Amino acid sequence: EEDENFAKIYGTAKPKNRPGQRARRQQYEKMYGDEANHVKLTKKVSKKDTGKRPTETRGQHNPAASTKKPRHDAGDAAPPAKASSVHPSWEAKRREKELLAKAKTVKPTKIVFD
């Protein structure tokens, strides 16, 4: 005679994967209806005026609300102008390089003692 639970107990039956989030939500909606937690939470959020966008418009682009500047092609736009003022540390480093270059070009004078 064969036992119904033999496969479960001794591991010959492979366990099913956990259902995805949507499937679990649908299952809870069938079981609990409007009392399902995710249904209650969406009702609370929609009742309150939180200042957020409504859930129906999520994912939709609103070009009027966009504050980004339009992109330009690199070939059409002129290269950006260099800033006339630079950081003080950069200016000091440039001066230091100039002084070192001048110091290397100066020839030493020979001192002769009698």
Side-chain angles (χ1 to χ4, degrees):
E1 82 192 71
E2 294 199 16
D3 188 14
E4 297 171 0
N5 296 324
F6 181 83
K8 284 185 180 178
I9 295 170
Y10 294 104
T12 56
K14 190 174 183 179
K16 292 184 178 181
N17 289 338
R18 181 179 183 208
Q21 183 177 4
R22 286 185 183 181
R24 293 193 312 269
R25 282 186 168 198
Q26 288 175 352
Q27 179 183 1
Y28 288 119
E29 282 181 28
K30 286 179 186 176
M31 290 169 53
Y32 300 108
D34 288 341
E35 293 300 312
N37 284 335
H38 69 279
V39 175
K40 284 187 209 177
L41 291 175
T42 55
K43 286 183 180 179
K44 284 183 183 178
V45 170
S46 63
K47 286 181 182 178
K48 292 181 184 178
D49 184 24
T50 59
K52 295 182 180 178
R53 297 185 302 178
T55 57
E56 296 84 30
T57 60
R58 277 196 189 138
Q60 296 176 359
H61 180 68
N62 184 1
S66 178
T67 59
K68 292 183 180 180
K69 295 179 182 177
R71 299 179 86 188
H72 299 287
D73 289 334
D76 295 342
K82 290 186 178 180
S84 60
S85 62
V86 293
H87 195 271
S89 64
W90 294 3
E91 185 67 31
K93 185 69 174 181
R94 187 183 59 79
R95 285 186 195 147
E96 183 183 7
K97 282 183 180 180
E98 288 176 1
L99 289 175
L100 287 175
K102 285 181 184 177
K104 287 181 182 178
T105 59
V106 174
K107 292 185 180 181
T109 57
K110 204 173 205 181
I111 298 175
V112 179
F113 293 99
D114 295 327

